[in-house]
Amino acid sequence: MNNGHTGNRKHKLVRLGRPAIAAALAAGIALTGVTAASAAAASADTAADATAGTGGRFGPYGYGGVRLGMTLKQAEGTRKIVKKLSAGQCSGWDLKAHPTGRDGVGLHISKKLGVALIQAPKDVRTPEGIKVGSTMKQVKKAYPRLDTSGNYPVAVVPGNPKALYYFLSHRGKVHELALALKNQDCTN
């Protein structure tokens, strides 16, 4: 730095050890109220928001900034959904970035459970690579414990034991994919 003075000025370099860095970070966290969990959730939501509308990962906790289990108020607070219908226990909504058209809904919000089910838009994939248009052979390979005993195949969501993927197929290809709470009370 040249401030017009002649002569050498020595600057002292201070290296902080790990305990000092940890203390500084803890002080910053205490001042801001940010916890590691909330920072991680915010980071995940930011990543999901960045991919909404351009494909991206569907699951294991949600899509497009909307997460399974969010209360109605929290989901509305994202400003990423628009109401389509009210019907008893659950209301039907769409993700603004992925409108479903006149006769569909993109997600169901339960009065009791919050966001209970999210339909996958056509341009998104599960972390295991499954999307609308995948073959059932690909689904079985990605989810070896696929349960086919019910009306449609379901798989426990890797990384989220409280959720299931629902796969509706026609002629051996997935035509609908949903992420839902295991105990969701909105659809059969």
Side-chain angles (χ1 to χ4, degrees):
M1 172 164 149
N2 185 354
N3 58 9
H5 297 284
T6 60
N8 286 337
R9 289 189 169 204
K10 293 190 177 185
H11 297 281
K12 197 178 236 184
L13 179 63
V14 176
R15 293 192 187 265
L16 297 176
R18 287 184 189 199
I21 292 170
L25 287 173
I29 289 169
L31 289 173
T32 63
V34 175
T35 65
S38 64
S43 175
D45 286 344
T46 301
D49 291 345
T51 61
T54 60
R57 299 255 173 154
F58 183 69
Y61 292 96
Y63 179 74
V66 179
R67 296 173 61 91
L68 291 176
M70 275 185 161
T71 65
L72 172 59
K73 188 174 181 177
Q74 289 170 328
E76 285 180 313
T78 67
R79 298 181 183 218
K80 296 183 181 296
I81 63 172
V82 60
K83 191 170 189 176
K84 298 214 33 196
L85 63 98
S86 291
Q89 175 63 24
C90 297
S91 52
W93 300 74
D94 268 351
L95 291 167
K96 286 182 182 178
H98 300 282
T100 59
R102 183 176 168 169
D103 296 327
V105 296
L107 59 113
H108 295 272
I109 300 178
S110 163
K111 289 179 182 176
K112 182 178 171 184
L113 303 171
V115 175
L117 185 140
I118 305 170
Q119 291 283 114
K122 292 188 186 325
D123 58 346
V124 301
R125 295 176 184 266
T126 68
E128 296 74 31
I130 302 301
K131 64 181 180 100
V132 171
S134 293
T135 66
M136 286 309 295
K137 186 176 180 178
Q138 291 169 318
V139 171
K140 289 174 187 172
K141 185 176 179 182
Y143 306 102
R145 294 187 178 186
L146 186 70
D147 180 358
T148 58
S149 63
N151 293 336
Y152 43 83
V154 298
V156 174
V157 176
N160 186 357
K162 294 181 179 181
L164 296 171
Y165 284 125
Y166 295 172
F167 304 96
L168 277 70
S169 65
H170 181 69
R171 296 187 178 177
K173 288 195 173 188
V174 175
H175 73 89
E176 284 186 39
L177 167 61
L179 173 67
L181 292 172
K182 277 186 178 179
N183 62 339
Q184 64 90 8
D185 56 359
C186 294
T187 65
N188 58 5

